[in-house]
Amino acid sequence: MQLKSWLLILLLLQQVASVELDIDDEDSICEAAKQVVNGELNYYEGTKKGGTIGMFSNPYYWWHAGEAFGGLVDYYTYCDSDNKTLEKLIYDGMYNQAGDHFDYIPSNQSMTEGNDDQGVWGMAVLEAVEKNFTDPKDHSWLEMTQAIYNTMNARWDTKHCNGGIRWQIFTWNSGYNYKNSIANGCLFNIAARLARYTDNKTYAKMAEKIWNWMEDVGFATYVKDELVVYDGAKISNNCSDVTKSRWSYTYGIFLSGCAYMYNYTNDHTWLDRVNEIIKSSDYFFKDGYMYEHTCGGGSKCNNDQRSFRSLFARCLGLTSMLAPSTKDTIDQWLQKSAQGAAKSCSGGSDGVTCGTDWSKGSWDNNFGLGEQMSALEAMMSLLVKPPLTADTGGTSKSNVNAGTDTEDKKNKNELKVSSKDKAGAGVLTAIVLLSVSGGAIWMLF
Ligand SMILES: *[C@@H]1O[C@H](CO)[C@@H](O)[C@H](O)[C@H]1NC(C)=O
Ligand SMILES: *[C@@H]1O[C@H](CO)[C@@H](O)[C@H](O)[C@H]1NC(C)=O
Ligand SMILES: *[C@@H]1O[C@H](CO)[C@@H](O)[C@H](O)[C@H]1NC(C)=O
Ligand SMILES: *[C@@H]1O[C@H](CO)[C@@H](O)[C@H](O)[C@H]1NC(C)=O
Ligand SMILES: *[C@@H]1O[C@H](CO)[C@@H](O)[C@H](O)[C@H]1NC(C)=O
Ligand SMILES: *[C@@H]1O[C@H](CO)[C@@H](O)[C@H](O)[C@H]1NC(C)=O
């Protein structure tokens, strides 16, 4: 046969391939998810020669890995829990990034890690806690989450804007003078989950305090009848100049945090908030399909934004379990979105690469770790089960004092930065910028 005919056949084969999904059939969901996971793991460095365990390839950051592992724990639990290779991959990846003090502040991420990044890892580790994922012997997943909680909590700052934590941990990272919903939302979510899992009211009080501050500062506020959650504000002018963009993952994190609080306290105030956020989450759906409204979906969204729906989907699923009255509404969203996501997973040379626009019915030429993670979590949310607690079969061991005996408990904003460190930071920034643009150039090809 001539080369041309071969190429034609190849082209046809490629168009036939796509991820098939029957939302009523668990096996079909897991089969579809397996292909999405395979695509996701193409970006994983930990199994490649010379790669760092727990990290994904350039241009993906440390925090993306945190997002990814949460979804992988779900996939392992719901679809592939006999797979020892996968179990080890997840275990090693999460454990290796815990850092010297087992609080997810690895010293070599100080150029990139903000409170939201530590928090996203915290929510991944909590997936492991609530799904009884194989615990490390020396430091349980629960203990590590408590260390994350304690170190983040220690950064609560009443000097500016009457409370809240900043976006950044380290003074030299840009955004240090910004307080935002996502960082505080992560702490809120973690606090609510620790309260429910360990049945300790101290965590619930903190969640309450964060929510009240969010309203006080106007990051969570009513516009007409709608409860909206805005991005954040600089601490200058007492956080009064609020940046009004809205992001799906922020909504998801507050939504499910409220659902955990409702489930734990049985207090209808929390259920009201759940219902309010569900109503305003409408903003993140177009024709019934999830989409990242603020950046317009698709290629206009950057690498971070293209991954937000992964957390949004995961949080919607959890909410439907914890506040069962929301299940019908959420199921409709998740089912349509997962079906759309599966249809978008028909691109690339493997024919199963996922895209961004889930309403298109086919691949939209976008690809990346964010696309894979978002499609995966939309599918996994269809299989969601109630998260465990210490009373319902969770066995991860508690250590309420974890993280309180290290330097990390101090506000990094109060640590003195020597000029030597600053110079080092500048060089590192240059390297990061270079490698990011290197990555962007690669994306063009
Ligand atoms: C176990 O998981 C790994 C990683 O996802 C995958 O490559 C492998 O095919 C899986 N094994 C089986 C038997 O499904
Ligand atoms: C950074 O730190 C982590 C965890 O402490 C370590 O496993 C990793 O090898 C280090 N290097 C890089 C490039 O991430
Ligand atoms: C600063 O902002 C906080 C949060 O919105 C508010 O509680 C406080 O009253 C404000 N302080 C001043 C001096 O405006
Ligand atoms: C809390 O979650 C459990 C598990 O999904 C559910 O059975 C229970 O009804 C929920 N509690 C409330 C108050 O909704
Ligand atoms: C949780 O894991 C422990 C240790 O592997 C096990 O003994 C226990 O049965 C598990 N619980 C559930 C609910 O699966
Ligand atoms: C509850 O959590 C707080 C905060 O970490 C801790 O100080 C307290 O000892 C815990 N209470 C119990 C009963 O474990």
Side-chain angles (χ1 to χ4, degrees):
M1 237 189 297
Q2 284 182 334
L3 184 62
K4 240 160 98 191
S5 328
W6 277 114
L7 280 177
L8 193 67
I9 287 172
L10 260 178
L11 207 74
L12 283 173
L13 274 176
Q14 273 195 21
Q15 286 180 345
V16 172
S18 78
V19 170
E20 301 286 333
L21 178 71
D22 173 358
I23 54 163
D24 297 318
D25 176 11
E26 204 175 307
D27 290 342
S28 160
I29 296 170
C30 286
E31 197 42 55
K34 186 185 171 79
Q35 306 202 49
V36 177
V37 166
N38 286 342
E40 180 167 328
L41 291 178
N42 283 334
Y43 298 92
Y44 187 54
E45 287 284 292
T47 46
K48 291 178 190 151
K49 200 161 173 262
T52 304
I53 295 172
M55 290 291 280
F56 287 75
S57 59
N58 213 350
Y60 299 105
Y61 284 105
W62 185 73
W63 91 274
H64 291 113
E67 262 186 316
F69 280 107
L72 290 173
V73 170
D74 289 351
Y75 171 70
Y76 168 82
T77 307
Y78 299 138
C79 290
D80 209 8
S81 57
D82 294 330
N83 186 332
K84 295 282 171 213
T85 313
L86 181 61
E87 182 189 14
K88 186 170 177 342
L89 182 151
I90 297 171
Y91 179 102
D92 289 348
M94 294 209 308
Y95 189 82
N96 195 54
Q97 291 303 324
D100 293 342
H101 301 132
F102 295 92
D103 55 6
Y104 288 85
I105 308 180
S107 53
N108 57 13
Q109 291 297 336
S110 60
M111 286 312 299
T112 76
E113 181 174 0
N115 276 303
D116 51 345
D117 307 290
Q118 192 190 11
V120 165
W121 267 99
M123 293 184 290
V125 180
L126 270 166
E127 289 296 303
V129 172
E130 292 172 348
K131 295 188 163 61
N132 206 35
F133 184 76
T134 322
D135 241 331
K137 295 243 172 343
D138 52 354
H139 297 268
S140 72
W141 300 124
L142 177 57
E143 176 178 338
M144 289 196 254
T145 320
Q146 288 166 315
I148 292 171
Y149 170 85
N150 285 330
T151 50
M152 287 179 80
N153 191 23
R155 295 182 205 118
W156 188 261
D157 161 38
T158 48
K159 276 198 214 106
H160 306 92
C161 320
N162 204 26
I165 56 174
R166 295 166 184 253
W167 181 16
Q168 297 300 327
I169 301 171
F170 300 98
T171 46
W172 52 77
N173 285 326
S174 91
Y176 180 68
N177 287 326
Y178 194 71
K179 288 195 175 175
N180 59 4
S181 297
I182 187 62
N184 286 281
C186 287
L187 183 56
F188 172 71
N189 188 284
I190 291 168
R193 292 166 83 161
L194 286 176
R196 178 177 175 273
Y197 189 90
T198 65
D199 189 11
N200 180 333
K201 294 203 168 54
T202 308
Y203 298 122
K205 283 206 188 93
M206 185 59 192
E208 183 118 38
K209 178 164 127 184
I210 298 166
W211 180 271
N212 290 339
W213 179 76
M214 285 288 295
E215 287 195 346
D216 188 30
V217 76
F219 293 178
T221 189
Y222 284 88
V223 177
K224 292 177 191 143
D225 285 338
E226 211 179 299
L227 177 56
V228 297
V229 183
Y230 290 135
D231 188 77
K234 290 207 173 116
I235 59 174
S236 54
N237 302 324
N238 197 32
C239 290
S240 58
D241 190 8
V242 178
T243 305
K244 295 202 166 160
S245 33
R246 295 174 250 174
W247 303 106
S248 67
Y249 73 151
T250 314
Y251 274 63
I253 284 163
F254 276 104
L255 171 67
S256 56
C258 290
Y260 275 96
M261 285 301 285
Y262 167 61
N263 198 269
Y264 175 55
T265 61
N266 233 320
D267 177 346
H268 273 248
T269 311
W270 289 111
L271 183 60
D272 291 344
R273 288 169 185 157
V274 165
N275 289 328
E276 296 284 356
I277 302 176
I278 288 202
K279 238 182 11 196
S280 55
S281 293
D282 196 34
Y283 182 76
F284 302 106
F285 291 86
K286 190 168 76 181
D287 306 325
Y289 299 97
M290 218 177 266
Y291 93 122
E292 200 59 48
H293 192 146
T294 298
C295 54
S299 55
K300 290 191 281 300
C301 301
N302 67 27
N303 273 331
D304 286 347
Q305 294 156 354
R306 276 146 72 176
S307 75
F308 289 169
R309 286 178 300 175
S310 67
L311 274 163
F312 185 44
R314 186 200 301 167
C315 291
L316 283 172
L318 288 168
T319 301
S320 74
M321 294 288 104
L322 297 160
S325 59
T326 63
K327 192 170 180 337
D328 287 348
T329 306
I330 289 179
D331 279 356
Q332 273 181 11
W333 279 343
L334 289 174
Q335 285 169 4
K336 195 155 179 187
S337 296
Q339 277 168 323
K343 288 202 179 112
S344 89
C345 298
S346 57
S349 55
D350 58 2
V352 290
T353 291
C354 301
T356 305
D357 182 354
W358 294 350
S359 69
K360 189 167 189 273
S362 61
W363 188 46
D364 65 354
N365 285 304
N366 291 311
F367 62 93
L369 181 60
E371 280 80 351
Q372 297 302 127
M373 294 196 289
S374 297
L376 176 64
E377 301 243 28
M379 291 172 187
M380 286 304 94
S381 304
L382 303 176
L383 302 175
V384 65
K385 294 197 177 67
L388 298 175
T389 68
D391 286 337
T392 59
T395 55
S396 202
K397 239 181 49 223
S398 169
N399 173 5
V400 290
N401 295 321
T404 56
D405 56 353
T406 76
E407 277 285 289
D408 296 338
K409 78 171 183 225
K410 286 194 191 151
N411 289 338
K412 292 286 176 181
N413 48 15
E414 283 157 14
L415 288 181
K416 274 232 159 69
V417 187
S418 71
S419 50
K420 187 170 135 260
D421 286 344
K422 271 189 193 146
V427 171
L428 267 171
T429 310
I431 293 172
V432 169
L433 283 176
L434 271 176
S435 51
V436 168
S437 57
I441 288 163
W442 172 82
M443 293 289 281
L444 288 176
F445 287 102

